[in-house]
Amino acid sequence: MLVATAIVIFMHVPGLALFYGGLVSERNVVSTMMHSFVSLLVVTIVWVLWGYSLSFGGDIAGLIGGLDFLGFNNVGEEAFGTIPHYVFAIFQGAFAAITVAIISGGIAGRIAFPAWILFSILWVTFIYAPMAHWVWGGGWLYKLGELDFAGGTVVHILSGVSALTAAIVIGPRYEHLKKELVPHNIVLFLIGAATLWFGWFAFNAGSALSANGLTSLVFANTQVAAAAGGLGWLVIEWSIRKRPTLVGAATGAIAGLVGITPAAGFVTVLSALVIGLISAPVSYFGIHFIKRRFRYDDTLDAFGVHGIAGIWGAIATGLFATKTVNSAGNNGLFYGNAEQLLHQLIGVGTAVVLATVGTFIILKVIGLFTQLRVSREEELMGLDLSFHEEPAYSTVKDIDIKSEKVSS
């Protein structure tokens, strides 16, 4: 579990940072990576001070954790389930941090950095912590029987829907729909994607909190779903666009990983293959049809991959779950228990509403105290230079703003 915890942090930085950083223009590489890196710093501190306690402290009316672990009070070397309490707490903190970082993909290149820091603090406190408690900390969804092995609702639906909400509230980039966003470095993107895939074994299998047969099942399901998702996307893209792409194949693999996350410990390997395979078309549809239809600017498709595949994965858990592989879980619809599907739909609906309403309120409150997005000039110059004065590449020169201004 020490190794799994370290690997989950590694998938955050450099994994997600490289994945997102490779997709943006060369003007916003540093700022995009900063979102991932700084969220790890900020959320870790919030987690120690109050986030962990609100998530996993003693249950209060099924709604929130108590203050038992405030400031890591009462967290020590003693066993917490199957592992030392310190390890469990930091492992869960790594989950919280990467969930916040995923949201940055929806608003890359335009959110003001001070607003991002405030958002990270407020979002993990008022959105992530309650949902984590409801599902994993003994809250009302846990008592209801909703299944989420490693974060379909808590991590991916929350982050994906929050990214979409933030993208709409903050507004599109000035160049959105006028200039196609082309990844500036596919090599960095692939290294990031491969790091995420590698880290997902710790993310999912580590959630078993032990080394046993269940852990091996989760490990196998994670690999199979990722491969099925990547292959599924490749076939779709090749059929529709007549060109298979590396970005597409890697994106499909990530979609497959998202889809299997909530189901990883509750389904068979063949079911994992189906879940991963279907994750590809649902995410592809979200990115290439829903996004174009409604013209929202989810910069790096955080909603299309994490939100939509997360919703599918949570629902699929209610379809494919079987006690034959995990006696602690419930059977799903395909194994004679329709009620489990209802519980999963309630979990999905709850995550969507909490993420939408909560993110909207948090951003509006932040907007009362500081600007949410950068100015037009700063955005067109790129945040690496305009805010951080730290270009990713020495070849990136200062940009003549006048030549890039777009008429109002």
Side-chain angles (χ1 to χ4, degrees), residues 9 21 30 33 86 100 126 146-147 156 170 196 198 215 223 232 244 278 302 325 346 380 399 404-405 407:
I9 294 172
V30 171
M33 290 183 170
Y86 279 134
V100 175
F126 294 105
E146 194 246 349
L147 299 177
H156 296 294
I170 293 175
L196 288 174
F198 167 73
T215 317
Q223 172 68 12
I278 296 178
V325 296
I346 292 173
L380 293 176
I399 297 173
E404 291 238 355
K405 279 188 175 181
S407 58

mmCIF file with all atom_site columns, all heavy atoms in Angstrom, residues 9 21 30 33 86 100 126 146-147 156 170 196 198 215 223 232 244 278 302 325 346 380 399 404-405 407:
data_model
loop_
_atom_site.group_PDB
_atom_site.id
_atom_site.type_symbol
_atom_site.label_atom_id
_atom_site.label_alt_id
_atom_site.label_comp_id
_atom_site.label_asym_id
_atom_site.label_entity_id
_atom_site.label_seq_id
_atom_site.pdbx_PDB_ins_code
_atom_site.Cartn_x
_atom_site.Cartn_y
_atom_site.Cartn_z
_atom_site.occupancy
_atom_site.B_iso_or_equiv
_atom_site.pdbx_formal_charge
_atom_site.auth_seq_id
_atom_site.auth_comp_id
_atom_site.auth_asym_id
_atom_site.auth_atom_id
_atom_site.pdbx_PDB_model_num
ATOM 1   N N   . ILE A 1 9   ? 0.274   8.968   -6.593  1.00 0.00 ? 9   ILE A N   1
ATOM 2   C CA  . ILE A 1 9   ? 0.813   10.330  -6.636  1.00 0.00 ? 9   ILE A CA  1
ATOM 3   C C   . ILE A 1 9   ? 1.622   10.530  -7.916  1.00 0.00 ? 9   ILE A C   1
ATOM 4   O O   . ILE A 1 9   ? 1.571   11.595  -8.546  1.00 0.00 ? 9   ILE A O   1
ATOM 5   C CB  . ILE A 1 9   ? 1.679   10.595  -5.391  1.00 0.00 ? 9   ILE A CB  1
ATOM 6   C CG1 . ILE A 1 9   ? 0.794   10.588  -4.128  1.00 0.00 ? 9   ILE A CG1 1
ATOM 7   C CG2 . ILE A 1 9   ? 2.428   11.931  -5.504  1.00 0.00 ? 9   ILE A CG2 1
ATOM 8   C CD1 . ILE A 1 9   ? 1.552   10.648  -2.828  1.00 0.00 ? 9   ILE A CD1 1
ATOM 9   N N   . GLY A 1 21  ? -0.412  18.473  -20.469 1.00 0.00 ? 21  GLY A N   1
ATOM 10  C CA  . GLY A 1 21  ? 0.572   19.403  -21.016 1.00 0.00 ? 21  GLY A CA  1
ATOM 11  C C   . GLY A 1 21  ? 0.901   19.140  -22.472 1.00 0.00 ? 21  GLY A C   1
ATOM 12  O O   . GLY A 1 21  ? 1.149   20.077  -23.232 1.00 0.00 ? 21  GLY A O   1
ATOM 13  N N   . VAL A 1 30  ? 3.361   25.112  -19.300 1.00 0.00 ? 30  VAL A N   1
ATOM 14  C CA  . VAL A 1 30  ? 3.727   25.290  -17.892 1.00 0.00 ? 30  VAL A CA  1
ATOM 15  C C   . VAL A 1 30  ? 2.497   25.553  -17.040 1.00 0.00 ? 30  VAL A C   1
ATOM 16  O O   . VAL A 1 30  ? 2.331   24.963  -15.964 1.00 0.00 ? 30  VAL A O   1
ATOM 17  C CB  . VAL A 1 30  ? 4.750   26.435  -17.740 1.00 0.00 ? 30  VAL A CB  1
ATOM 18  C CG1 . VAL A 1 30  ? 4.970   26.767  -16.260 1.00 0.00 ? 30  VAL A CG1 1
ATOM 19  C CG2 . VAL A 1 30  ? 6.072   26.052  -18.389 1.00 0.00 ? 30  VAL A CG2 1
ATOM 20  N N   . MET A 1 33  ? 0.521   22.339  -16.559 1.00 0.00 ? 33  MET A N   1
ATOM 21  C CA  . MET A 1 33  ? 1.184   21.455  -15.610 1.00 0.00 ? 33  MET A CA  1
ATOM 22  C C   . MET A 1 33  ? 1.111   21.997  -14.193 1.00 0.00 ? 33  MET A C   1
ATOM 23  O O   . MET A 1 33  ? 1.008   21.235  -13.222 1.00 0.00 ? 33  MET A O   1
ATOM 24  C CB  . MET A 1 33  ? 2.641   21.239  -16.031 1.00 0.00 ? 33  MET A CB  1
ATOM 25  C CG  . MET A 1 33  ? 2.809   20.403  -17.286 1.00 0.00 ? 33  MET A CG  1
ATOM 26  S SD  . MET A 1 33  ? 4.554   20.114  -17.680 1.00 0.00 ? 33  MET A SD  1
ATOM 27  C CE  . MET A 1 33  ? 4.403   18.881  -18.969 1.00 0.00 ? 33  MET A CE  1
ATOM 28  N N   . TYR A 1 86  ? -2.120  5.823   8.904   1.00 0.00 ? 86  TYR A N   1
ATOM 29  C CA  . TYR A 1 86  ? -1.386  6.829   8.128   1.00 0.00 ? 86  TYR A CA  1
ATOM 30  C C   . TYR A 1 86  ? -1.433  6.525   6.632   1.00 0.00 ? 86  TYR A C   1
ATOM 31  O O   . TYR A 1 86  ? -1.657  7.415   5.799   1.00 0.00 ? 86  TYR A O   1
ATOM 32  C CB  . TYR A 1 86  ? 0.086   6.869   8.556   1.00 0.00 ? 86  TYR A CB  1
ATOM 33  C CG  . TYR A 1 86  ? 0.378   7.653   9.806   1.00 0.00 ? 86  TYR A CG  1
ATOM 34  C CD1 . TYR A 1 86  ? 1.216   7.120   10.784  1.00 0.00 ? 86  TYR A CD1 1
ATOM 35  C CD2 . TYR A 1 86  ? -0.125  8.942   10.000  1.00 0.00 ? 86  TYR A CD2 1
ATOM 36  C CE1 . TYR A 1 86  ? 1.519   7.837   11.940  1.00 0.00 ? 86  TYR A CE1 1
ATOM 37  C CE2 . TYR A 1 86  ? 0.165   9.658   11.150  1.00 0.00 ? 86  TYR A CE2 1
ATOM 38  C CZ  . TYR A 1 86  ? 0.985   9.106   12.123  1.00 0.00 ? 86  TYR A CZ  1
ATOM 39  O OH  . TYR A 1 86  ? 1.288   9.816   13.252  1.00 0.00 ? 86  TYR A OH  1
ATOM 40  N N   . VAL A 1 100 ? -9.250  16.675  -8.240  1.00 0.00 ? 100 VAL A N   1
ATOM 41  C CA  . VAL A 1 100 ? -9.238  18.118  -8.484  1.00 0.00 ? 100 VAL A CA  1
ATOM 42  C C   . VAL A 1 100 ? -8.457  18.433  -9.756  1.00 0.00 ? 100 VAL A C   1
ATOM 43  O O   . VAL A 1 100 ? -8.892  19.242  -10.586 1.00 0.00 ? 100 VAL A O   1
ATOM 44  C CB  . VAL A 1 100 ? -8.626  18.862  -7.277  1.00 0.00 ? 100 VAL A CB  1
ATOM 45  C CG1 . VAL A 1 100 ? -8.492  20.354  -7.586  1.00 0.00 ? 100 VAL A CG1 1
ATOM 46  C CG2 . VAL A 1 100 ? -9.494  18.666  -6.036  1.00 0.00 ? 100 VAL A CG2 1
ATOM 47  N N   . PHE A 1 126 ? -16.082 21.086  -0.149  1.00 0.00 ? 126 PHE A N   1
ATOM 48  C CA  . PHE A 1 126 ? -17.543 21.089  -0.204  1.00 0.00 ? 126 PHE A CA  1
ATOM 49  C C   . PHE A 1 126 ? -18.143 20.136  -1.237  1.00 0.00 ? 126 PHE A C   1
ATOM 50  O O   . PHE A 1 126 ? -19.353 19.873  -1.208  1.00 0.00 ? 126 PHE A O   1
ATOM 51  C CB  . PHE A 1 126 ? -18.055 22.518  -0.472  1.00 0.00 ? 126 PHE A CB  1
ATOM 52  C CG  . PHE A 1 126 ? -17.766 23.470  0.643   1.00 0.00 ? 126 PHE A CG  1
ATOM 53  C CD1 . PHE A 1 126 ? -16.765 24.423  0.520   1.00 0.00 ? 126 PHE A CD1 1
ATOM 54  C CD2 . PHE A 1 126 ? -18.476 23.406  1.833   1.00 0.00 ? 126 PHE A CD2 1
ATOM 55  C CE1 . PHE A 1 126 ? -16.482 25.311  1.554   1.00 0.00 ? 126 PHE A CE1 1
ATOM 56  C CE2 . PHE A 1 126 ? -18.207 24.278  2.875   1.00 0.00 ? 126 PHE A CE2 1
ATOM 57  C CZ  . PHE A 1 126 ? -17.207 25.231  2.739   1.00 0.00 ? 126 PHE A CZ  1
ATOM 58  N N   . GLU A 1 146 ? -24.911 1.496   -2.885  1.00 0.00 ? 146 GLU A N   1
ATOM 59  C CA  . GLU A 1 146 ? -24.295 1.886   -4.153  1.00 0.00 ? 146 GLU A CA  1
ATOM 60  C C   . GLU A 1 146 ? -22.847 1.394   -4.172  1.00 0.00 ? 146 GLU A C   1
ATOM 61  O O   . GLU A 1 146 ? -22.116 1.508   -3.182  1.00 0.00 ? 146 GLU A O   1
ATOM 62  C CB  . GLU A 1 146 ? -24.317 3.407   -4.301  1.00 0.00 ? 146 GLU A CB  1
ATOM 63  C CG  . GLU A 1 146 ? -24.014 3.864   -5.727  1.00 0.00 ? 146 GLU A CG  1
ATOM 64  C CD  . GLU A 1 146 ? -22.709 4.621   -5.855  1.00 0.00 ? 146 GLU A CD  1
ATOM 65  O OE1 . GLU A 1 146 ? -22.115 4.979   -4.820  1.00 0.00 ? 146 GLU A OE1 1
ATOM 66  O OE2 . GLU A 1 146 ? -22.259 4.827   -6.996  1.00 0.00 ? 146 GLU A OE2 1
ATOM 67  N N   . LEU A 1 147 ? -22.419 0.815   -5.287  1.00 0.00 ? 147 LEU A N   1
ATOM 68  C CA  . LEU A 1 147 ? -21.083 0.239   -5.409  1.00 0.00 ? 147 LEU A CA  1
ATOM 69  C C   . LEU A 1 147 ? -20.169 1.164   -6.203  1.00 0.00 ? 147 LEU A C   1
ATOM 70  O O   . LEU A 1 147 ? -20.518 1.617   -7.294  1.00 0.00 ? 147 LEU A O   1
ATOM 71  C CB  . LEU A 1 147 ? -21.152 -1.123  -6.104  1.00 0.00 ? 147 LEU A CB  1
ATOM 72  C CG  . LEU A 1 147 ? -21.968 -2.226  -5.418  1.00 0.00 ? 147 LEU A CG  1
ATOM 73  C CD1 . LEU A 1 147 ? -21.991 -3.482  -6.282  1.00 0.00 ? 147 LEU A CD1 1
ATOM 74  C CD2 . LEU A 1 147 ? -21.417 -2.534  -4.025  1.00 0.00 ? 147 LEU A CD2 1
ATOM 75  N N   . HIS A 1 156 ? -14.485 10.234  -10.984 1.00 0.00 ? 156 HIS A N   1
ATOM 76  C CA  . HIS A 1 156 ? -14.618 10.567  -12.404 1.00 0.00 ? 156 HIS A CA  1
ATOM 77  C C   . HIS A 1 156 ? -15.885 11.331  -12.759 1.00 0.00 ? 156 HIS A C   1
ATOM 78  O O   . HIS A 1 156 ? -15.830 12.282  -13.541 1.00 0.00 ? 156 HIS A O   1
ATOM 79  C CB  . HIS A 1 156 ? -14.483 9.291   -13.235 1.00 0.00 ? 156 HIS A CB  1
ATOM 80  C CG  . HIS A 1 156 ? -13.127 8.671   -13.111 1.00 0.00 ? 156 HIS A CG  1
ATOM 81  N ND1 . HIS A 1 156 ? -11.990 9.281   -13.573 1.00 0.00 ? 156 HIS A ND1 1
ATOM 82  C CD2 . HIS A 1 156 ? -12.712 7.499   -12.543 1.00 0.00 ? 156 HIS A CD2 1
ATOM 83  C CE1 . HIS A 1 156 ? -10.938 8.526   -13.313 1.00 0.00 ? 156 HIS A CE1 1
ATOM 84  N NE2 . HIS A 1 156 ? -11.351 7.448   -12.682 1.00 0.00 ? 156 HIS A NE2 1
ATOM 85  N N   . ILE A 1 170 ? -17.039 29.803  -16.805 1.00 0.00 ? 170 ILE A N   1
ATOM 86  C CA  . ILE A 1 170 ? -15.914 30.673  -17.137 1.00 0.00 ? 170 ILE A CA  1
ATOM 87  C C   . ILE A 1 170 ? -15.991 31.152  -18.584 1.00 0.00 ? 170 ILE A C   1
ATOM 88  O O   . ILE A 1 170 ? -15.562 32.241  -18.929 1.00 0.00 ? 170 ILE A O   1
ATOM 89  C CB  . ILE A 1 170 ? -14.582 29.945  -16.870 1.00 0.00 ? 170 ILE A CB  1
ATOM 90  C CG1 . ILE A 1 170 ? -14.422 29.717  -15.360 1.00 0.00 ? 170 ILE A CG1 1
ATOM 91  C CG2 . ILE A 1 170 ? -13.390 30.725  -17.414 1.00 0.00 ? 170 ILE A CG2 1
ATOM 92  C CD1 . ILE A 1 170 ? -13.209 28.902  -14.984 1.00 0.00 ? 170 ILE A CD1 1
ATOM 93  N N   . LEU A 1 196 ? -0.329  7.240   -16.703 1.00 0.00 ? 196 LEU A N   1
ATOM 94  C CA  . LEU A 1 196 ? -1.657  7.086   -16.108 1.00 0.00 ? 196 LEU A CA  1
ATOM 95  C C   . LEU A 1 196 ? -2.091  5.620   -16.117 1.00 0.00 ? 196 LEU A C   1
ATOM 96  O O   . LEU A 1 196 ? -2.622  5.109   -15.121 1.00 0.00 ? 196 LEU A O   1
ATOM 97  C CB  . LEU A 1 196 ? -2.673  7.946   -16.874 1.00 0.00 ? 196 LEU A CB  1
ATOM 98  C CG  . LEU A 1 196 ? -2.577  9.454   -16.664 1.00 0.00 ? 196 LEU A CG  1
ATOM 99  C CD1 . LEU A 1 196 ? -3.540  10.179  -17.609 1.00 0.00 ? 196 LEU A CD1 1
ATOM 100 C CD2 . LEU A 1 196 ? -2.884  9.830   -15.218 1.00 0.00 ? 196 LEU A CD2 1
ATOM 101 N N   . PHE A 1 198 ? -0.174  2.977   -16.170 1.00 0.00 ? 198 PHE A N   1
ATOM 102 C CA  . PHE A 1 198 ? 0.652   2.323   -15.153 1.00 0.00 ? 198 PHE A CA  1
ATOM 103 C C   . PHE A 1 198 ? 0.115   2.622   -13.749 1.00 0.00 ? 198 PHE A C   1
ATOM 104 O O   . PHE A 1 198 ? -0.051  1.720   -12.913 1.00 0.00 ? 198 PHE A O   1
ATOM 105 C CB  . PHE A 1 198 ? 2.095   2.820   -15.301 1.00 0.00 ? 198 PHE A CB  1
ATOM 106 C CG  . PHE A 1 198 ? 2.981   2.482   -14.134 1.00 0.00 ? 198 PHE A CG  1
ATOM 107 C CD1 . PHE A 1 198 ? 3.429   1.189   -13.924 1.00 0.00 ? 198 PHE A CD1 1
ATOM 108 C CD2 . PHE A 1 198 ? 3.388   3.475   -13.247 1.00 0.00 ? 198 PHE A CD2 1
ATOM 109 C CE1 . PHE A 1 198 ? 4.259   0.882   -12.849 1.00 0.00 ? 198 PHE A CE1 1
ATOM 110 C CE2 . PHE A 1 198 ? 4.211   3.183   -12.177 1.00 0.00 ? 198 PHE A CE2 1
ATOM 111 C CZ  . PHE A 1 198 ? 4.644   1.882   -11.976 1.00 0.00 ? 198 PHE A CZ  1
ATOM 112 N N   . THR A 1 215 ? -7.388  -8.569  -5.269  1.00 0.00 ? 215 THR A N   1
ATOM 113 C CA  . THR A 1 215 ? -6.441  -7.621  -5.851  1.00 0.00 ? 215 THR A CA  1
ATOM 114 C C   . THR A 1 215 ? -6.005  -8.061  -7.247  1.00 0.00 ? 215 THR A C   1
ATOM 115 O O   . THR A 1 215 ? -5.896  -7.250  -8.166  1.00 0.00 ? 215 THR A O   1
ATOM 116 C CB  . THR A 1 215 ? -5.197  -7.488  -4.956  1.00 0.00 ? 215 THR A CB  1
ATOM 117 O OG1 . THR A 1 215 ? -5.598  -7.414  -3.595  1.00 0.00 ? 215 THR A OG1 1
ATOM 118 C CG2 . THR A 1 215 ? -4.397  -6.265  -5.315  1.00 0.00 ? 215 THR A CG2 1
ATOM 119 N N   . GLN A 1 223 ? -6.277  -3.969  -16.718 1.00 0.00 ? 223 GLN A N   1
ATOM 120 C CA  . GLN A 1 223 ? -5.523  -4.129  -17.962 1.00 0.00 ? 223 GLN A CA  1
ATOM 121 C C   . GLN A 1 223 ? -6.444  -4.428  -19.145 1.00 0.00 ? 223 GLN A C   1
ATOM 122 O O   . GLN A 1 223 ? -6.301  -3.832  -20.225 1.00 0.00 ? 223 GLN A O   1
ATOM 123 C CB  . GLN A 1 223 ? -4.495  -5.254  -17.801 1.00 0.00 ? 223 GLN A CB  1
ATOM 124 C CG  . GLN A 1 223 ? -3.769  -5.653  -19.074 1.00 0.00 ? 223 GLN A CG  1
ATOM 125 C CD  . GLN A 1 223 ? -2.836  -4.564  -19.594 1.00 0.00 ? 223 GLN A CD  1
ATOM 126 O OE1 . GLN A 1 223 ? -2.556  -3.591  -18.889 1.00 0.00 ? 223 GLN A OE1 1
ATOM 127 N NE2 . GLN A 1 223 ? -2.357  -4.733  -20.821 1.00 0.00 ? 223 GLN A NE2 1
ATOM 128 N N   . GLY A 1 232 ? -11.138 -0.251  -29.135 1.00 0.00 ? 232 GLY A N   1
ATOM 129 C CA  . GLY A 1 232 ? -12.461 0.192   -29.569 1.00 0.00 ? 232 GLY A CA  1
ATOM 130 C C   . GLY A 1 232 ? -12.413 1.567   -30.205 1.00 0.00 ? 232 GLY A C   1
ATOM 131 O O   . GLY A 1 232 ? -13.028 1.819   -31.249 1.00 0.00 ? 232 GLY A O   1
ATOM 132 N N   . PRO A 1 244 ? -6.411  6.127   -38.260 1.00 0.00 ? 244 PRO A N   1
ATOM 133 C CA  . PRO A 1 244 ? -6.185  5.801   -36.850 1.00 0.00 ? 244 PRO A CA  1
ATOM 134 C C   . PRO A 1 244 ? -5.117  6.735   -36.277 1.00 0.00 ? 244 PRO A C   1
ATOM 135 O O   . PRO A 1 244 ? -4.124  7.033   -36.945 1.00 0.00 ? 244 PRO A O   1
ATOM 136 C CB  . PRO A 1 244 ? -5.662  4.363   -36.915 1.00 0.00 ? 244 PRO A CB  1
ATOM 137 C CG  . PRO A 1 244 ? -5.001  4.266   -38.252 1.00 0.00 ? 244 PRO A CG  1
ATOM 138 C CD  . PRO A 1 244 ? -5.768  5.171   -39.180 1.00 0.00 ? 244 PRO A CD  1
ATOM 139 N N   . ILE A 1 278 ? -17.131 -0.709  -24.521 1.00 0.00 ? 278 ILE A N   1
ATOM 140 C CA  . ILE A 1 278 ? -18.242 0.237   -24.682 1.00 0.00 ? 278 ILE A CA  1
ATOM 141 C C   . ILE A 1 278 ? -17.852 1.638   -24.225 1.00 0.00 ? 278 ILE A C   1
ATOM 142 O O   . ILE A 1 278 ? -18.416 2.636   -24.686 1.00 0.00 ? 278 ILE A O   1
ATOM 143 C CB  . ILE A 1 278 ? -19.487 -0.276  -23.939 1.00 0.00 ? 278 ILE A CB  1
ATOM 144 C CG1 . ILE A 1 278 ? -19.965 -1.585  -24.570 1.00 0.00 ? 278 ILE A CG1 1
ATOM 145 C CG2 . ILE A 1 278 ? -20.610 0.758   -23.951 1.00 0.00 ? 278 ILE A CG2 1
ATOM 146 C CD1 . ILE A 1 278 ? -21.166 -2.209  -23.883 1.00 0.00 ? 278 ILE A CD1 1
ATOM 147 N N   . ALA A 1 302 ? -12.292 16.725  -20.507 1.00 0.00 ? 302 ALA A N   1
ATOM 148 C CA  . ALA A 1 302 ? -12.403 16.094  -19.190 1.00 0.00 ? 302 ALA A CA  1
ATOM 149 C C   . ALA A 1 302 ? -13.790 15.492  -18.996 1.00 0.00 ? 302 ALA A C   1
ATOM 150 O O   . ALA A 1 302 ? -13.937 14.391  -18.451 1.00 0.00 ? 302 ALA A O   1
ATOM 151 C CB  . ALA A 1 302 ? -12.113 17.115  -18.091 1.00 0.00 ? 302 ALA A CB  1
ATOM 152 N N   . VAL A 1 325 ? -17.344 -13.250 -7.926  1.00 0.00 ? 325 VAL A N   1
ATOM 153 C CA  . VAL A 1 325 ? -15.953 -12.797 -7.849  1.00 0.00 ? 325 VAL A CA  1
ATOM 154 C C   . VAL A 1 325 ? -15.676 -11.999 -6.585  1.00 0.00 ? 325 VAL A C   1
ATOM 155 O O   . VAL A 1 325 ? -14.526 -11.787 -6.220  1.00 0.00 ? 325 VAL A O   1
ATOM 156 C CB  . VAL A 1 325 ? -15.567 -11.944 -9.087  1.00 0.00 ? 325 VAL A CB  1
ATOM 157 C CG1 . VAL A 1 325 ? -15.635 -12.787 -10.346 1.00 0.00 ? 325 VAL A CG1 1
ATOM 158 C CG2 . VAL A 1 325 ? -16.451 -10.713 -9.208  1.00 0.00 ? 325 VAL A CG2 1
ATOM 159 N N   . ILE A 1 346 ? -29.007 6.141   -8.758  1.00 0.00 ? 346 ILE A N   1
ATOM 160 C CA  . ILE A 1 346 ? -29.122 7.154   -7.708  1.00 0.00 ? 346 ILE A CA  1
ATOM 161 C C   . ILE A 1 346 ? -27.756 7.766   -7.429  1.00 0.00 ? 346 ILE A C   1
ATOM 162 O O   . ILE A 1 346 ? -27.618 8.988   -7.265  1.00 0.00 ? 346 ILE A O   1
ATOM 163 C CB  . ILE A 1 346 ? -29.730 6.543   -6.423  1.00 0.00 ? 346 ILE A CB  1
ATOM 164 C CG1 . ILE A 1 346 ? -31.191 6.160   -6.661  1.00 0.00 ? 346 ILE A CG1 1
ATOM 165 C CG2 . ILE A 1 346 ? -29.610 7.515   -5.242  1.00 0.00 ? 346 ILE A CG2 1
ATOM 166 C CD1 . ILE A 1 346 ? -31.821 5.395   -5.510  1.00 0.00 ? 346 ILE A CD1 1
ATOM 167 N N   . LEU A 1 380 ? -4.274  35.297  -25.096 1.00 0.00 ? 380 LEU A N   1
ATOM 168 C CA  . LEU A 1 380 ? -3.703  35.189  -26.437 1.00 0.00 ? 380 LEU A CA  1
ATOM 169 C C   . LEU A 1 380 ? -2.183  35.077  -26.400 1.00 0.00 ? 380 LEU A C   1
ATOM 170 O O   . LEU A 1 380 ? -1.575  34.420  -27.251 1.00 0.00 ? 380 LEU A O   1
ATOM 171 C CB  . LEU A 1 380 ? -4.132  36.387  -27.279 1.00 0.00 ? 380 LEU A CB  1
ATOM 172 C CG  . LEU A 1 380 ? -5.632  36.460  -27.602 1.00 0.00 ? 380 LEU A CG  1
ATOM 173 C CD1 . LEU A 1 380 ? -5.962  37.735  -28.358 1.00 0.00 ? 380 LEU A CD1 1
ATOM 174 C CD2 . LEU A 1 380 ? -6.071  35.242  -28.398 1.00 0.00 ? 380 LEU A CD2 1
ATOM 175 N N   . ILE A 1 399 ? 5.006   37.171  -27.596 1.00 0.00 ? 399 ILE A N   1
ATOM 176 C CA  . ILE A 1 399 ? 4.077   37.247  -28.718 1.00 0.00 ? 399 ILE A CA  1
ATOM 177 C C   . ILE A 1 399 ? 3.599   38.679  -28.918 1.00 0.00 ? 399 ILE A C   1
ATOM 178 O O   . ILE A 1 399 ? 3.312   39.382  -27.959 1.00 0.00 ? 399 ILE A O   1
ATOM 179 C CB  . ILE A 1 399 ? 2.868   36.323  -28.481 1.00 0.00 ? 399 ILE A CB  1
ATOM 180 C CG1 . ILE A 1 399 ? 3.352   34.868  -28.408 1.00 0.00 ? 399 ILE A CG1 1
ATOM 181 C CG2 . ILE A 1 399 ? 1.828   36.479  -29.575 1.00 0.00 ? 399 ILE A CG2 1
ATOM 182 C CD1 . ILE A 1 399 ? 2.264   33.904  -28.000 1.00 0.00 ? 399 ILE A CD1 1
ATOM 183 N N   . GLU A 1 404 ? -2.351  39.431  -32.693 1.00 0.00 ? 404 GLU A N   1
ATOM 184 C CA  . GLU A 1 404 ? -3.188  38.288  -32.343 1.00 0.00 ? 404 GLU A CA  1
ATOM 185 C C   . GLU A 1 404 ? -4.556  38.701  -31.822 1.00 0.00 ? 404 GLU A C   1
ATOM 186 O O   . GLU A 1 404 ? -5.389  37.868  -31.535 1.00 0.00 ? 404 GLU A O   1
ATOM 187 C CB  . GLU A 1 404 ? -2.469  37.435  -31.282 1.00 0.00 ? 404 GLU A CB  1
ATOM 188 C CG  . GLU A 1 404 ? -1.247  36.735  -31.814 1.00 0.00 ? 404 GLU A CG  1
ATOM 189 C CD  . GLU A 1 404 ? -1.334  35.247  -31.654 1.00 0.00 ? 404 GLU A CD  1
ATOM 190 O OE1 . GLU A 1 404 ? -2.312  34.760  -31.032 1.00 0.00 ? 404 GLU A OE1 1
ATOM 191 O OE2 . GLU A 1 404 ? -0.457  34.550  -32.167 1.00 0.00 ? 404 GLU A OE2 1
ATOM 192 N N   . LYS A 1 405 ? -4.762  39.997  -31.640 1.00 0.00 ? 405 LYS A N   1
ATOM 193 C CA  . LYS A 1 405 ? -6.035  40.451  -31.084 1.00 0.00 ? 405 LYS A CA  1
ATOM 194 C C   . LYS A 1 405 ? -7.185  40.082  -32.032 1.00 0.00 ? 405 LYS A C   1
ATOM 195 O O   . LYS A 1 405 ? -7.066  40.219  -33.236 1.00 0.00 ? 405 LYS A O   1
ATOM 196 C CB  . LYS A 1 405 ? -6.028  41.942  -30.828 1.00 0.00 ? 405 LYS A CB  1
ATOM 197 C CG  . LYS A 1 405 ? -5.329  42.316  -29.511 1.00 0.00 ? 405 LYS A CG  1
ATOM 198 C CD  . LYS A 1 405 ? -5.532  43.785  -29.219 1.00 0.00 ? 405 LYS A CD  1
ATOM 199 C CE  . LYS A 1 405 ? -4.942  44.141  -27.861 1.00 0.00 ? 405 LYS A CE  1
ATOM 200 N NZ  . LYS A 1 405 ? -5.133  45.552  -27.540 1.00 0.00 ? 405 LYS A NZ  1
ATOM 201 N N   . SER A 1 407 ? -11.071 40.914  -33.022 1.00 0.00 ? 407 SER A N   1
ATOM 202 C CA  . SER A 1 407 ? -12.039 41.983  -32.855 1.00 0.00 ? 407 SER A CA  1
ATOM 203 C C   . SER A 1 407 ? -13.192 41.528  -31.985 1.00 0.00 ? 407 SER A C   1
ATOM 204 O O   . SER A 1 407 ? -13.625 40.381  -32.036 1.00 0.00 ? 407 SER A O   1
ATOM 205 C CB  . SER A 1 407 ? -12.574 42.430  -34.226 1.00 0.00 ? 407 SER A CB  1
ATOM 206 O OG  . SER A 1 407 ? -13.163 41.324  -34.885 1.00 0.00 ? 407 SER A OG  1
#
